[in-house]
Structure formats: structure tokens, C-alpha cells
Amino acid sequence: MNELLEVLSVGSKLSEIFQKISVIFSIKFGTKNFFFGNQREIIYGFGNKSTKHILNLIRETQEQINYKDVECVMKLNNYFLYFDINSFTSKEEIILSYAIIDNFLKNHEKFETIYTRFKYLKALVFSIEPLIYEISIKNALSHSLISLTTFTDIDKAIIAILSNKRMEVVSAIGIEKEILKNKEILINIKKILSGEKEIFLNIATSQNNKHRLVGIVPLREFNETKGILLVEFKETKESVTEIDKEILKILSFVMTHRIKLYEMNINLIRAKKRAEELSRLKSEFVANVSHELRTPLNAILGFVELLKMGDFPKSEQDKYLDYIMFAGTSLLGMINNILDLSKIEAGAMKPIFTRIQVKEISEELERYGKVLSKNKNIDFYIENNTGDMTINTDYMMIKSILVNLISNAVKFTEKGWVKVSIYTKPNNVIFKIEDTGIGMKESDLKKIFTPFTQLENVRNKRFSGTGIGLSLSKKFADMLNAKIIPKTKGVGKGCIFYVVLPT
């Protein structure tokens, strides 16, 4: 059997090795049918024997070597060898051949295991590298998966990232659409989302009714699932090895942290942009406030200077004092708004809930609205349909919200009217403030509650104000569990603001 030992000592691929062994067997044992393989496939073979006959014979074989008439089956660890024998072959020759080949295959399997581990390690290194160095998250995931499919038995793979609990395919490599739509896959994805570990399934495909091995691996940080790594193995793969599981776990861990890093970078960029925007708005606010504070202060100082200059009729003095009072009230209102906003930001202001009559609020608003509208020569209406209804709220906060909205409605209405309607809905009282003023664009509705924001540039201002009234009102509304809902009737047609307050 020196020829057999020589062939086994220099061979590499099993198919090539057993192609050479078949020549030795044809000389030694008169072999005309020779088949070598495992439970899944024939690795090398020739002859006129049917595969079905060979497989049946293998199943019947209980011993390591089975003689049957002029044919023989050897069970070699995870492999089998079938061949013909002539009547002059000795049992000792068969046993010796078995021992040599079996010993070679055992060593070959050890070598394959080591080779596979190194191959997986290489795949892991090549897959992790783009996750570290690639700037684009999409490119990083794509390159990582390409590296994985190049070196391992994973044929197709995708990354599915969760976006508001919706699955979004971020990176894909040739995965079949029917796999993604498979009900069994979707059911198991839900299991993964609910906290289960990796799941491996045999999924039937429409192509020749074949089964494909699919793995679903969570991309999870603590209890938060960032996404799912879905892998589809090659058609020849029938089971998932521990090495497969290990490499997918390591890769999923690195991918999860890469995604987390990407999210942190995105949040930092957004925070930076938000900080820059707030810095710009605050600069505008300082310029705006200095202008707004200077105007009533100049009025107060000017009228005081006039009163000091000489004797004026009583009616004229009263008129000047009214101007001073109006300017002082306006100045105090602006300062109070700034202080209130600062208190809320510092968490130093809390609502004090008491039972108050809606009628009391209505009367206060009517007095305030009529004074403001009279100075603008526009009409003011108020309609209260709540009767003697009482609500549990903070009087000063709800009054501040409604006064701010009425003040804005009057300020931005140059002709026409401002109307306040108060009515009830189940568990709510509604304050509706409608005007025929300048209105606004639909897109501007999202901006008006941002602190320090005004829709007109400070340098081109036609209307007074600091830009914090609506922001303050929104914060008060949140503290009262109320809602302020703005609507525009169109540019030049006016606005409607609804304040929905729980009873």
C-alpha cells in the first residue's frame, strides 16, 4: 500500500486525492465503480451504479467495513467510500486500506477546521475594517458585508436598521425579495425585537422547492435593538456551526457600536446646528429687546421732560401721564415675560391649580381687548357660551396665554376685527382667538413657538415685540396640560389660535 500512502502524503483537494486513489483501487481490487462522498454529495466518482443504490447500502451498513458480494462500503468518520472488489482480494488488504484512508481523513478534517477558523478570522478582520475607517455608515455596512460574503459560507446578507419601529434596508447584497417577505422570517424578526437572541431557520424557497438556511441576529445595545443582521447561507450549507454563530455575534457587536457611533455623531451635528441657531436667535433677541426696551423708556423720559418744562393745562398733563402709564405698562410686560421665561428654563416656576370661573377670565379678557383694539381703531368681540362653568387651572398662566394671543391678534390686525369665542367640548373648554390681520404662511406655523423667533427681520420691523410671547405661552400651556393650535387663513387674511384647556 506504498502507492496509497504516497498519494495521501502529497494531495490537497479531496476530489483530486480520491481521483488518484481510484486508479490504485482499479489495479489492486479490480474496481470499476468507485464513489467517494459524504451524506450530502458525491465528492468524486465514476461507474454505472446508481446513487440511490449506493446510499441505501450505506444506510444498511452498521460496521465500519461492509462486504457484500463483490462490492464494499467503508464508513470513514463523516465520509463513505464505495468500490467494487474482485474475488482474489484479501480482507487484510481492505482493512489496511481502510486504516490508511481513515487516518488521513481524520487529520484532513482537523486541518479543515483550522483552515476554516483562520478563514473566518480573516473574514472578521476584513469585515470590521470598513466599520472602523469608513466615514459613511451606509458604505461601512456594505463593505463589511461584501468582505463577509467573500471569505465565509454566507452567500447573501442585509442590514435592516430600525427607524421608528419600521424596518429599513440600509445595506443589501443580492438577497432574494421573497426571503424578506417570508411570513416565518417576519414572525421571528418580531421575536428578535421583543428581546430573543439569534435565530436560525430552514426556509423553503419557490425555486425548485429548495430550503435555505437563514440567520436572524439582533444588533442590540443593552435592551435597545438598533437593527437586525439577516444572513442567508449558501445552498450547500445544511447546519450552522459554532464558528458561524461566533463570527456573526462578534460582527453584530461591532456593527451595533458602529451604528451607535453614527447616531451619536448625527446627534452631535444636530446639537451643534441647534446651538448655532440659538446663538443667532439670541443675538437677534438682544438687538430686538434693546430696541423694544429703548422705545417705551424714551417715551417715558420724553414726556417726563415735557412735564418738567412748564405749566400745561390739566387735560394736557393727564394725556402725558396716560402716555407714561401706557409706556411703563408695556415695559413692565416685556420685563415680566423675560423673567418668566428665565424662571421656566430654570425650573423655578410651577403652576398653582385652583377652581376659577370661566366667566371671570372672559370679563378680564374683554376689558383688556377693548382697550387694545380702541388704540388700533379695530373692532373687538368676545362671546362666552360656557355659562357659570368652573375649571381647575392656574389663573395667572391661562390669563398670560390668552392675553399674549389677543395682544398678537390686535398687533397684527391693521383693519377689521379680533374675536374671542369661548365654548366647551367633552372634558375641555376651548378659547378661539380669530383676527383679520396680516396672517402667515403655512410653513411659518412651525416656527412661531421657537424662543426668540420673529417672522420679520429685526432691521425691517413694522411691529413691536421681543419674540418670546408665543414661546412663553407654549411653555405655560404645557405646564397646564393644555394645547395651543395655530391655524392660518392665508397671507393677508388673518389667523385663528385655539387654546384647548382640560376642565
Side-chain angles (χ1 to χ4, degrees):
M1 287 290 153
N2 290 332
E3 301 97 327
L4 189 57
L5 287 169
E6 188 178 339
V7 168
L8 294 176
S9 65
V10 295
S12 55
K13 287 185 179 180
L14 285 178
S15 57
E16 294 175 359
I17 291 167
F18 281 88
Q19 187 176 1
K20 293 175 181 177
I21 290 174
S22 66
V23 175
I24 297 168
F25 272 48
S26 63
I27 296 169
K28 291 284 182 181
F29 307 136
T31 296
K32 294 180 180 177
N33 289 280
F34 181 91
F35 294 94
F36 168 73
N38 52 37
Q39 297 294 330
R40 298 189 305 275
E41 60 180 337
I42 302 292
I43 294 173
Y44 174 76
F46 67 87
N48 56 12
K49 294 285 183 179
S50 71
T51 306
K52 186 177 180 182
H53 168 75
I54 296 167
L55 292 175
N56 286 335
L57 193 59
I58 291 165
R59 293 189 192 101
E60 291 171 5
T61 301
Q62 301 298 320
E63 305 85 14
Q64 290 176 326
I65 303 172
N66 179 27
Y67 297 91
K68 190 173 182 181
D69 298 330
V70 289
E71 56 187 355
C72 179
V73 171
M74 291 182 181
K75 283 200 169 181
L76 304 150
N77 204 16
N78 295 321
Y79 298 92
F80 73 86
L81 182 61
Y82 170 92
F83 55 94
D84 296 338
I85 52 176
N86 59 50
S87 55
F88 302 105
T89 304
S90 68
K91 186 177 180 180
E92 287 75 18
E93 286 179 304
I94 296 290
I95 293 171
L96 181 59
S97 300
Y98 171 84
I100 294 170
I101 295 171
D102 187 56
N103 185 58
F104 162 75
L105 287 173
K106 284 176 181 176
N107 289 322
H108 189 274
E109 280 188 341
K110 287 178 184 177
F111 168 77
E112 280 294 321
T113 303
I114 294 167
Y115 172 76
T116 302
R117 285 184 182 275
F118 275 112
K119 182 180 72 171
Y120 273 19
L121 183 61
K122 190 175 182 181
L124 194 59
V125 170
F126 275 81
S127 295
I128 289 173
E129 191 174 16
L131 292 172
I132 297 171
Y133 296 110
E134 179 64 59
I135 296 171
S136 164
I137 183 71
K138 198 167 183 178
N139 289 344
L141 294 172
S142 294
H143 293 162
S144 176
L145 293 177
I146 289 167
S147 300
L148 188 67
T149 56
T150 304
F151 292 100
T152 71
D153 290 331
I154 300 171
D155 187 34
K156 302 167 183 177
I158 70 158
I159 297 290
I161 303 298
L162 293 175
S163 176
N164 296 324
K165 296 299 179 186
R166 292 183 180 180
M167 301 304 295
E168 177 190 351
V169 177
V170 172
S171 181
I173 299 177
I175 198 160
E176 296 172 9
K177 288 183 179 178
E178 67 172 278
I179 291 291
L180 291 174
K181 295 177 181 177
N182 186 285
K183 287 182 180 178
E184 196 174 349
I185 291 284
L186 296 175
I187 289 168
N188 282 282
I189 284 176
K190 288 179 181 178
K191 288 181 181 178
I192 292 285
L193 296 181
S194 64
E196 286 203 22
K197 295 181 179 180
E198 63 277 358
I199 298 170
F200 294 94
L201 308 162
N202 262 307
I203 302 295
T205 63
S206 59
Q207 295 181 350
N208 302 324
N209 203 25
K210 288 183 178 179
H211 281 71
R212 298 296 292 272
L213 193 60
V214 175
I216 309 168
V217 183
L219 303 178
R220 186 175 293 136
E221 184 188 47
F222 301 113
N223 292 326
E224 185 183 2
T225 306
K226 295 290 181 186
I228 290 173
L229 171 61
L230 180 62
V231 295
E232 185 182 0
F233 294 91
K234 289 184 178 178
E235 291 180 15
T236 54
K237 199 170 186 70
E238 292 185 350
S239 62
V240 182
T241 65
E242 289 303 315
I243 302 174
D244 293 324
K245 292 179 182 178
E246 203 60 39
I247 191 171
L248 290 175
K249 280 183 185 177
I250 296 169
L251 190 60
S252 68
F253 174 81
V254 179
M255 283 179 170
T256 303
H257 283 271
R258 180 63 175 87
I259 293 164
K260 179 67 176 175
L261 181 64
Y262 168 74
E263 288 178 348
M264 287 173 63
N265 287 338
I266 291 294
N267 290 334
L268 286 171
I269 291 166
R270 286 174 182 165
K272 180 175 178 288
K273 287 182 179 177
R274 179 66 182 149
E276 289 170 350
E277 177 66 10
L278 281 175
S279 177
R280 183 187 66 79
L281 290 173
K282 284 185 178 180
S283 297
E284 284 191 10
F285 170 70
V286 170
N288 191 21
V289 164
S290 64
H291 168 77
E292 292 297 330
L293 294 178
R294 196 161 46 238
T295 301
L297 275 172
N298 286 337
I300 292 168
L301 292 172
F303 285 118
V304 168
E305 194 68 34
L306 276 173
L307 289 170
K308 285 172 65 179
M309 283 174 62
D311 294 330
F312 289 97
K314 178 81 167 56
S315 60
E316 195 75 15
Q317 287 182 16
D318 290 343
K319 185 179 177 183
Y320 291 161
L321 288 171
D322 283 341
Y323 283 138
I324 291 169
M325 178 65 75
F326 182 80
T329 304
S330 174
L331 184 61
L332 182 63
M334 281 187 278
I335 293 169
N336 283 338
N337 276 349
I338 295 167
L339 290 174
D340 285 345
L341 190 63
S342 299
K343 285 179 184 177
I344 292 171
E345 295 291 347
M349 183 177 281
K350 303 292 180 185
I352 302 170
F353 289 93
T354 56
R355 296 302 302 184
I356 59 173
Q357 282 193 319
V358 178
K359 185 179 179 182
E360 187 182 345
I361 301 172
S362 174
E363 289 171 352
E364 184 79 17
L365 296 177
E366 186 172 11
R367 284 192 294 272
Y368 180 77
K370 282 185 175 178
V371 171
L372 287 182
S373 58
K374 187 178 180 182
N375 292 330
K376 287 289 296 281
N377 292 318
I378 60 173
D379 295 322
F380 180 81
Y381 309 101
I382 188 160
E383 186 180 282
N384 179 15
N385 296 314
T386 61
D388 296 326
M389 181 181 186
T390 62
I391 53 176
N392 188 39
T393 191
D394 184 300
Y395 180 77
M396 294 307 296
M397 285 188 181
I398 190 61
K399 179 186 168 185
S400 177
I401 294 169
L402 296 169
V403 163
N404 258 319
L405 294 175
I406 291 170
S407 175
N408 278 351
V410 172
K411 179 175 36 174
F412 295 113
T413 302
E414 295 174 323
K415 60 180 180 178
W417 47 265
V418 172
K419 182 179 180 181
V420 178
S421 304
I422 310 171
Y423 54 94
T424 60
K425 290 285 184 183
N427 303 318
N428 291 299
V429 60
I430 314 293
F431 296 85
K432 177 184 175 185
I433 299 95
E434 184 177 2
D435 65 65
T436 57
I438 61 171
M440 68 180 87
K441 298 174 185 175
E442 196 76 36
S443 58
D444 288 335
L445 293 176
K446 298 176 183 177
K447 304 175 186 175
I448 57 176
F449 293 113
T450 305
F452 320 123
T453 298
Q454 288 185 301
L455 298 183
E456 57 178 350
N457 190 281
V458 176
R459 294 180 180 177
N460 305 316
K461 280 172 68 73
R462 288 190 298 148
F463 303 98
S464 62
T466 56
I468 62 174
L470 283 176
S471 172
L472 185 63
S473 297
K474 176 71 167 61
K475 291 181 185 295
F476 280 154
D478 291 341
M479 293 166 76
L480 297 175
N481 297 317
K483 291 180 182 178
I484 302 176
I485 304 168
K487 301 284 183 184
T488 178
K489 297 191 285 187
V491 177
K493 297 179 181 178
C495 292
I496 304 172
F497 279 78
Y498 295 90
V499 179
V500 183
L501 188 69
T503 56

